[in-house]
Amino acid sequence: MKKIKVLMIGWEFPPIINGGLGVACYGLSKALSNKVDLTIILPKTDISFSLNNINFIGLNNIDLNNIDIDNQNYKYEEFANTIEIAAKEFSPYPNAIDKLKNEVLGNNISEATDSNNLFSGNDLYGDNVMLRVYKFADYVAKIASSLEFDIIHCHDWMSFPAGIKIKKQSQKPLLIHIHSLEFDRSGIGSKNWVYEIEKEAIANADLIVPVSNYTGNIAIQNYEAQISKIYPVHNGTEFTAAFHQRKEFPEKLVLFLGRVTGQKGPQYFLEIASLVLKHYQNVRFVVAGTGDQLRDMIENGAYKNIGTKFHFTGFLTKDKVNQLLSMADVYCMPSVSEPFGLSALEAAQFGIPCVISKQSGVSEVLYGALKADYWDVEKMASHVISLLTNNALREALVKDAYQDLKSCSWEKASEKIVEIYHKAI
Amino acid sequence: MSSICLYFQVHQPYRIRQYSFFNIGIESNYFDEELNITILNKVADKCYIPANKLMLELIQKSNKKFRIAFSISGVAIEQFEKYRPDVLDSFIRLAKTGCVEFLSETYYHSLSYVYSKPEFERQIELHREKIVEHFNQVPKVFRNTECIFDNQLAEDIYQLGFKGILAEGVPYLLQDRSPNQLYTNAIHSKIKVLLRNFILSDDIAFRFSNSSWSEYPLTANKYTQWLNVQRHSADCINLFMDYETIGEHQSKASGIFDFIEHFAKQICSKKGFQFHTPSEICEKYDIEGIYDANYTTSWADTERDLSAWIQNTMQQESLNKLYSFREDILSLKSKELLNQWSMLQSSDHFYYMSTKHWADGAVHQYFSPYSSPYDAYIYFINALSDLEIRIAREKANKGIH
């Protein structure tokens, strides 16, 4: 059978990674590369980075000034009101939003930015994220017009405008892969411009692939997605060589890992810790990661009574994260809304029993885990205590989670994706 | 002439409530009364009441040719007494026909045989009293929880005065022999062992409404023909299953009631077949061979061993800890403590903790009131921790060390 030609549009990709999106795109495309003919267009690629059978195009490596795109007026005003509301309380990507707000609401929007600089910086979100997203769409569409492909596959909102544009000009089917939605990041009422992009893409897509049933349901309920277009595919996980390391302190360690933003529920982690410590003292809690709520959490003093047992590490490199995983006794993921939650699978690889919120995609594949609603602090805390004090439970969970991991592979995910491609071709 | 032996198991446990860590030492009510009543009502209305009505009619219309046996756990009877006396009455009416035999089992539907012989005997006695009280008959045939069986159990049961015992007809122990005759164990040669014909039993219990089964739909005609094929070599064909099969596991819409009715009528009118109860089978037939259960078997799961209840560390820890309290519980002579400890013994609690194939959403989860085996374990072990604290308090109060 002739290989399907896939034009994939991404945003994050190794070595440029901000969170789970880049990791997932990498794992998936690697597994897809021997099943389809794959071209990936990214805002930025590293010339030293390559994968067999994949044709990478990075805008940072192209002289964009030579690509002629129509001069377009971006209607930023349309989003101006909503973004003001949204940005006060929420932020699509924390470190970007304040600057973005100024930029969008300020007067210098239309001022041309040197296109070549647009995709060569270190932060793909940062300044000008919206301008980047739309310029990206224009350039990618232009490049795509000279490429041959059977289907367009894009990942999350940053690549959706590009996907929609290419679909319109090529008449090829569009698959949108949803790793997370603005609804997850900012909660109910997040009707900002990111939401609008997502909604438009969901309406225009031929196929919608959310990373979990959980996220699929959000798309249906909050974005009016057509059920018949939705085909959830759970993420896989790369094998990590797990190791174990002795701690420098005698207490047990409960770990929170991820961006310190409302979506991830760090405030619930604090409450859980506080409740656990009332009943069980031989434990320390560690928040590994950074984000817009970090200062609040440190400053608000809610943790003061337990400050000696509650720690923040700030941003950690992958090596440091693995080091923490090698010492942790319980992994706690109280996410308010988690499309997937790859880090729970990583913890499971390290033989750490997990307490995860039911509002997560990973809970659909990780049977060997304790679960509770994110707001049910008492249940979460009692799960943590059970795992700290009960070896029989701990052993059973670790063993079962290990079995679950076997069925979470990118190979399986990519096979499903290929089946889904065939539905539109 | 071959006998058809129909036996139905009736059991409802006291399910444990979502007993949190934060309840330990503070609240000592471990059971979810509301849930237990809800489930009892549901099963009573779908199964016990209509099925008993059907059984009574079949007995009356067949001139007492239709005969069946029940084993009803003590905890199920207790719940009928408390919440559904109408169900209990309908069983009593069946008892009065003289065509229904009530078997012996452990009062709490427990695994006590595996963990404590004295406890096992205590529960058999308690159950006997309950059966005599309501049904006015003394059980003569024993049926252990989930058909758990081995040579030594058969021997112990014989020593306790029973003439027969029920067991699963496990293929690798039968070794090509038929389950349709009486056996004895490898230790003694007097106890009569009735073996479940699991293929014919499961055709009704598991496959009846499975539309992807090649024999679907199963009609009484077809089923009677299958029995006929085995008749020439059969003394007794033992069809053992949960009573809840009728109307609950197999819904009314599946046609299970009609099936049972037609099947019963066909057997009653056919030459060459007769319904008999387990005691009658023991009277009527001789032992034809030795069924050497040198290790413990059951009727559960494909493994037909104890792994449904005693496999993972959670189950083992729960059971070991539970039975380690026995001596203290008995010495304290507190009716409440004894009662709660006993209720925690029902095998169901450990079945819910099974992680066997649970990721596939298999049969254990169908029966479980909890969202995962880990939750089942957590609530159980929390309750047990509270019980442990209360035992210690009581001992201190009474000056026992």
Side-chain angles (χ1 to χ4, degrees), chain A residues 275 279 358 367-371 378-379 381-383 385-386 390-393 395-397 400 404, chain B residues 18 20-23 312-314 317 355 358-361 371-375 377-379 381-382:
Chain A
L275 190 49
H279 300 271
K358 287 184 183 169
Y367 290 90
L370 299 184
K371 294 161 197 178
E378 190 171 298
K379 192 160 188 183
S382 71
H383 279 337
I385 295 171
S386 292
N390 191 314
N391 277 330
L393 178 64
E395 273 173 36
L397 271 172
D400 296 341
D404 297 333
Chain B
Q18 301 194 5
S20 151
F21 167 83
F22 301 104
N23 298 122
N312 65 41
T313 49
M314 301 184 289
E317 201 219 3
T355 46
W358 96 271
D360 315 329
S371 52
S372 81
Y374 316 108
D375 288 295
Y377 167 72
I378 289 168
Y379 303 137
I381 210 78
N382 286 344

Side-chain angles (χ1 to χ4, degrees), chain A residues 238-338:
Chain A
E238 290 264 306
F239 175 78
T240 314
F243 57 97
H244 289 280
Q245 201 172 323
R246 274 181 69 93
K247 292 184 280 275
E248 296 296 323
F249 46 87
E251 293 91 348
K252 296 197 171 176
L253 195 163
V254 180
L255 181 63
F256 172 102
L257 184 63
R259 280 181 292 121
V260 186
T261 67
Q263 178 198 356
K264 302 283 179 183
Q267 68 279 27
Y268 292 102
F269 187 62
L270 191 70
E271 285 181 46
I272 291 163
S274 163
L275 190 49
V276 169
L277 282 163
K278 279 185 192 147
H279 300 271
Y280 183 88
Q281 286 78 40
N282 186 32
V283 60
R284 288 176 188 273
F285 292 81
V286 173
V287 174
T290 182
D292 59 342
Q293 293 209 344
L294 187 59
R295 255 184 88 166
D296 269 358
M297 279 188 66
I298 299 170
E299 279 177 1
N300 101 13
Y303 69 93
K304 270 182 184 150
N305 299 331
I306 56 168
T308 55
K309 294 286 183 75
F310 199 88
H311 312 277
F312 298 92
T313 68
F315 174 79
L316 292 181
T317 61
K318 186 75 191 149
D319 282 350
K320 288 278 180 201
V321 166
N322 283 347
Q323 217 175 325
L324 259 181
L325 286 169
S326 74
M327 299 189 292
D329 296 284
V330 176
Y331 180 73
C332 184
M333 191 185 82
S335 295
V336 173
S337 188
E338 185 71 73

Side-chain angles (χ1 to χ4, degrees), chain A residues 2-134:
Chain A
K2 204 173 136 271
K3 273 190 180 176
I4 299 175
K5 288 196 169 93
V6 179
L7 175 62
M8 190 177 276
I9 323 283
W11 193 257
E12 290 180 30
F13 209 86
I16 302 143
I17 283 181
N18 187 294
L21 174 63
V23 179
C25 289
Y26 170 77
L28 178 65
S29 47
K30 205 167 111 182
L32 268 177
S33 66
N34 56 27
K35 300 181 184 67
V36 299
D37 195 341
L38 187 59
T39 298
I40 306 182
I41 308 185
L42 296 160
K44 191 172 175 181
T45 56
D46 192 321
I47 300 177
S48 63
F49 183 88
S50 70
L51 276 175
N52 281 344
N53 301 327
I54 300 180
N55 175 27
F56 284 106
I57 302 174
L59 295 198
N60 62 321
N61 297 320
I62 296 174
D63 186 358
L64 297 175
N65 292 325
N66 291 337
I67 297 183
D68 179 33
I69 53 170
D70 301 334
N71 218 352
Q72 305 201 12
N73 289 321
Y74 303 110
K75 294 180 180 167
Y76 292 133
E77 321 75 68
E78 278 178 21
F79 306 108
N81 287 332
T82 45
I83 205 163
E84 185 178 29
I85 298 156
K88 270 183 190 162
E89 310 272 348
F90 309 104
S91 40
Y93 283 96
N95 47 6
I97 197 69
D98 281 351
K99 289 173 186 169
L100 180 75
K101 192 175 90 175
N102 290 336
E103 206 177 85
V104 172
L105 299 176
N107 296 323
N108 52 354
I109 310 163
S110 56
E111 221 166 76
T113 311
D114 181 356
S115 301
N116 278 345
N117 289 338
L118 212 50
F119 303 108
S120 53
N122 279 326
D123 189 349
L124 287 174
Y125 300 96
D127 295 354
N128 298 330
V129 64
M130 181 153 60
L131 186 64
R132 266 199 196 95
V133 165
Y134 279 100

Side-chain angles (χ1 to χ4, degrees), chain A residues 129-396:
Chain A
V129 64
M130 181 153 60
L131 186 64
R132 266 199 196 95
V133 165
Y134 279 100
K135 284 267 186 192
F136 180 69
D138 293 339
Y139 287 119
V140 172
K142 193 75 189 170
I143 294 167
S145 64
S146 62
L147 297 174
E148 233 187 275
F149 52 91
D150 305 309
I151 190 163
I152 313 150
H153 182 158
C154 24
H155 298 275
D156 275 5
W157 65 273
M158 300 76 76
S159 66
F160 289 169
I164 295 167
K165 217 172 159 85
I166 299 168
K167 177 182 168 163
K168 280 182 183 151
Q169 78 184 23
S170 67
Q171 304 295 314
K172 298 291 184 189
L174 171 65
L175 181 155
I176 59 168
H177 204 131
I178 302 180
H179 301 263
S180 88
L181 287 168
E182 190 57 12
F183 182 86
D184 301 305
R185 293 182 291 265
S186 304
I188 299 171
S190 53
K191 307 270 166 101
N192 56 19
W193 59 279
V194 175
Y195 172 86
E196 296 299 336
I197 290 175
E198 290 170 340
K199 194 160 180 207
E200 195 189 341
I202 283 170
N204 278 281
D206 300 277
L207 299 164
I208 300 167
V209 177
V211 292
S212 59
N213 301 321
Y214 171 75
T215 297
N217 284 333
I218 291 178
I220 293 165
Q221 281 162 20
N222 297 286
Y223 290 82
E224 293 161 31
Q226 264 182 42
I227 299 174
S228 59
K229 289 184 183 175
I230 298 186
Y231 300 92
V233 176
H234 291 112
N235 282 341
T237 181
E238 290 264 306
F239 175 78
T240 314
F243 57 97
H244 289 280
Q245 201 172 323
R246 274 181 69 93
K247 292 184 280 275
E248 296 296 323
F249 46 87
E251 293 91 348
K252 296 197 171 176
L253 195 163
V254 180
L255 181 63
F256 172 102
L257 184 63
R259 280 181 292 121
V260 186
T261 67
Q263 178 198 356
K264 302 283 179 183
Q267 68 279 27
Y268 292 102
F269 187 62
L270 191 70
E271 285 181 46
I272 291 163
S274 163
L275 190 49
V276 169
L277 282 163
K278 279 185 192 147
H279 300 271
Y280 183 88
Q281 286 78 40
N282 186 32
V283 60
R284 288 176 188 273
F285 292 81
V286 173
V287 174
T290 182
D292 59 342
Q293 293 209 344
L294 187 59
R295 255 184 88 166
D296 269 358
M297 279 188 66
I298 299 170
E299 279 177 1
N300 101 13
Y303 69 93
K304 270 182 184 150
N305 299 331
I306 56 168
T308 55
K309 294 286 183 75
F310 199 88
H311 312 277
F312 298 92
T313 68
F315 174 79
L316 292 181
T317 61
K318 186 75 191 149
D319 282 350
K320 288 278 180 201
V321 166
N322 283 347
Q323 217 175 325
L324 259 181
L325 286 169
S326 74
M327 299 189 292
D329 296 284
V330 176
Y331 180 73
C332 184
M333 191 185 82
S335 295
V336 173
S337 188
E338 185 71 73
F340 191 74
L342 208 51
S343 59
L345 294 185
E346 287 169 355
Q349 285 196 337
F350 274 82
I352 308 168
C354 299
V355 178
I356 59 181
S357 81
K358 287 184 183 169
Q359 288 70 28
S360 70
V362 74
S363 71
E364 293 163 19
V365 293
L366 195 59
Y367 290 90
L370 299 184
K371 294 161 197 178
D373 293 306
Y374 70 88
W375 43 261
D376 194 346
V377 170
E378 190 171 298
K379 192 160 188 183
M380 283 275 184
S382 71
H383 279 337
V384 170
I385 295 171
S386 292
L387 285 172
L388 291 173
T389 56
N390 191 314
N391 277 330
L393 178 64
R394 188 188 170 80
E395 273 173 36

Side-chain angles (χ1 to χ4, degrees), chain B residues 379-399:
Chain B
Y379 303 137
F380 182 90
I381 210 78
N382 286 344
L384 211 54
S385 300
D386 183 76
L387 192 67
E388 193 173 23
I389 291 168
R390 290 163 68 205
I391 291 170
R393 278 185 202 151
E394 277 290 299
K395 280 170 82 175
N397 285 345
K398 295 191 173 170

